Amino acid sequence: MRYSDEIIEEVRSRNDIVDVIGQYVHLQKKGANHFGLCPFHNEKSGSFSVSAHKQMYYCFGCGAGGNVITFLMKYDNLTFQEAVKQLADRAGIKLPDEDDSPAAKAMRDKRQILLDINKEAAKYYYYQLRGRTGQKGMEYFRGRQLSDETMQHFGLGYANITSDDLVKHLKSLGYEDSQIIDAGLASYDEKYGTHDKFWNRVMFPIQDASQKVIGFGGRVL
Ligand code: ZN
């Protein structure tokens, strides 16, 4: 079930992050922010900060950060939908029932296919970076002092120099040209047919709040 942006915004705005996190972490106000011991790493002095103004949290110790929904997801190991549901209940917001019309279902299926394609592409770029053809990309990231952990954490990847290998890979998994183009990963022209949109680039997956890959940023080498 995918909730509309409006309902997610309502859930977020009616669950003050200081109140919610305050149920789990002892917070003390210091200046504009609240501080406490980080629940995501072991520490003796509080480097975990919560901003009422920004409605965000951030840990200076381990880098964990996000909003009230992603806090709950991480703290209670919930999916995005579960966290939204829990917070909606907390604020007395009634969530809409799933729309069962065929049109709504077709829309959900289509969105799911696009997410699946993006996930496969992220995996493909990820392994390209770590393979022989990815050397150039790896040198770029190493030159920027990125550790293996950071690269892994952000799922960084590489689109190699050939301009149709991703399309071929995705088609071998059963996806159609039109779906790959809709996902923003390929273009079509008469001369080259369906071809990769990204090549010779280091790739950064862009994730939504539920940590699904919804697109990519790239940097040409
Ligand atoms: Zn931390």
Side-chain angles (χ1 to χ4, degrees), residues 109-214:
D109 289 349
K110 186 173 177 198
R111 182 170 185 274
Q112 189 56 54
I113 288 169
L114 296 186
L115 288 172
D116 291 345
I117 291 178
N118 274 303
K119 190 171 155 194
E120 290 299 341
K123 267 178 15 196
Y124 184 76
Y125 292 141
Y126 182 91
Y127 288 113
Q128 290 293 312
L129 176 67
R130 286 145 185 92
R132 217 160 47 84
T133 50
Q135 213 175 350
K136 223 170 127 188
M138 197 53 100
E139 279 164 16
Y140 172 83
F141 286 128
R142 294 235 190 280
R144 307 234 138 190
Q145 319 292 335
L146 294 187
S147 67
D148 288 346
E149 290 74 34
T150 306
M151 285 190 255
Q152 197 180 345
H153 179 76
F154 291 104
L156 302 183
Y158 177 66
N160 69 30
I161 204 112
T162 37
S163 63
D164 65 349
D165 57 307
L166 177 70
V167 168
K168 277 187 186 152
H169 173 69
L170 292 172
K171 285 172 82 165
S172 79
L173 296 173
Y175 295 110
E176 291 162 17
D177 290 43
S178 60
Q179 295 172 325
I180 302 169
I181 292 169
D182 280 350
L185 294 166
S187 317
Y188 175 84
D189 68 43
E190 278 179 13
K191 194 164 167 209
Y192 297 105
T194 305
H195 56 278
D196 293 354
K197 198 150 164 188
F198 302 110
W199 46 280
N200 191 31
R201 279 166 219 225
V202 286
M203 300 297 290
F204 314 87
I206 300 165
Q207 297 181 332
D208 68 7
S210 52
Q211 264 142 31
K212 295 198 170 76
V213 178
I214 51 171

Side-chain angles (χ1 to χ4, degrees), residues 1-5 7-9 11-12 67-74 77-88 95 111 208-212:
M1 165 84 195
R2 175 168 157 74
Y3 301 116
S4 69
D5 292 343
I7 199 89
I8 291 167
E9 191 43 44
V11 167
R12 228 159 60 84
N67 62 28
V68 68
I69 298 172
T70 57
F71 174 85
L72 219 55
M73 287 168 66
K74 197 169 160 72
N77 202 15
L78 302 178
T79 65
F80 181 75
Q81 278 77 11
E82 288 165 346
V84 168
K85 176 88 177 60
Q86 193 166 316
L87 290 168
L95 292 171
R111 182 170 185 274
D208 68 7
S210 52
Q211 264 142 31
K212 295 198 170 76

Side-chain angles (χ1 to χ4, degrees), residues 12-79:
R12 228 159 60 84
S13 64
R14 285 178 51 190
N15 283 279
D16 183 75
I17 194 166
V18 177
D19 292 345
V20 172
I21 294 183
Q23 294 177 295
Y24 305 94
V25 179
H26 179 69
L27 294 174
Q28 273 184 307
K29 196 159 191 297
K30 275 186 209 158
N33 295 325
H34 289 75
F35 283 86
L37 293 178
C38 179
F40 303 123
H41 85 281
N42 212 339
E43 64 173 3
K44 290 201 171 65
S45 63
S47 38
F48 181 80
S49 72
V50 184
S51 163
H53 174 63
K54 293 188 201 146
Q55 288 292 303
M56 302 285 279
Y57 74 92
Y58 182 73
C59 174
F60 294 93
C62 68
N67 62 28
V68 68
I69 298 172
T70 57
F71 174 85
L72 219 55
M73 287 168 66
K74 197 169 160 72
Y75 190 90
D76 275 342
N77 202 15
L78 302 178
T79 65

